[in-house]
Amino acid sequence: MRLLTVTTAALLLFTHTGQADTAPIDSRQVVELNKEQQAFVLDHMKSMLETISTIQSDLAQGQAELVAQRVKALKTNEHQNKPRGLGKSFPKGFRAMSQQMNQHWEVLLKPTTDDKKIQQELHLILNQCNACHRSYQLKR
């Protein structure tokens, strides 16, 4: 009888603490894109992160003068591969975040060797990344 009670208690505990009951609800706004748009957005996010990493490496090696050309390559790739009408597919808030982020990339397009200024702009870009990822999700 005692074994049955312990087993029943364990089963009840398991069913009330299972994954489905404790999974957080994703309240981020869904951004619906077609396959071409989604592929571009995912690739561009990856390219931005890789560019930030490369710039960090450049700064660590004392090569701040390379920053503008890294950002120029990123922006050139964006302009050459961005699907038509992509901006219109984004919610208003998403577009606003993207525009703010672009302002920081534009600052980095201007040649400078001021490591502190570069780091500050990278920090602001990453803040935009975090804010966007907290607010939006791509529909798969």
Side-chain angles (χ1 to χ4, degrees):
M1 178 72 167
R2 183 178 171 143
L3 179 61
L4 181 58
T5 304
V6 170
T7 304
T8 303
L11 283 173
L12 285 173
L13 181 62
F14 177 77
T15 58
H16 289 299
T17 60
Q19 192 81 352
D21 292 341
T22 60
I25 296 172
D26 191 343
S27 61
R28 297 174 297 164
Q29 183 177 348
V30 173
V31 177
E32 294 189 38
L33 302 172
N34 65 37
K35 288 183 184 219
E36 178 190 20
Q37 292 169 331
Q38 187 174 28
F40 170 80
V41 169
L42 292 172
D43 185 62
H44 188 58
M45 286 189 294
K46 183 178 121 213
S47 294
M48 286 189 291
L49 190 56
E50 289 170 344
T51 299
I52 291 170
S53 180
T54 301
I55 290 171
Q56 292 285 356
S57 178
D58 291 340
L59 293 177
Q61 296 173 28
Q63 297 178 314
E65 69 278 359
L66 297 176
V67 172
Q69 78 182 54
R70 305 282 190 214
V71 176
K72 184 176 181 182
L74 174 72
K75 300 303 279 177
T76 299
N77 184 57
E78 175 186 7
H79 292 297
Q80 289 176 347
N81 295 301
K82 185 176 179 181
R84 287 191 183 270
L86 178 62
K88 294 177 183 175
S89 300
F90 295 138
K92 186 178 179 180
F94 188 103
R95 279 194 308 268
M97 286 183 185
S98 177
Q99 289 167 351
Q100 281 185 307
M101 180 184 287
N102 272 331
Q103 290 174 359
H104 300 297
W105 285 116
E106 292 296 323
V107 169
L108 293 174
L109 272 172
K110 299 172 186 160
T112 182
T113 55
D114 183 348
D115 288 15
K116 189 172 183 178
K117 177 69 174 163
I118 294 167
Q119 288 286 4
Q120 183 173 353
E121 293 302 323
L122 293 177
H123 175 76
L124 293 169
I125 289 169
L126 288 171
N127 282 347
Q128 289 297 315
C129 294
N130 288 328
C132 193
H133 283 268
R134 278 192 304 271
S135 302
Y136 299 98
Q137 63 174 308
L138 296 180
K139 184 176 181 179
R140 295 198 173 244

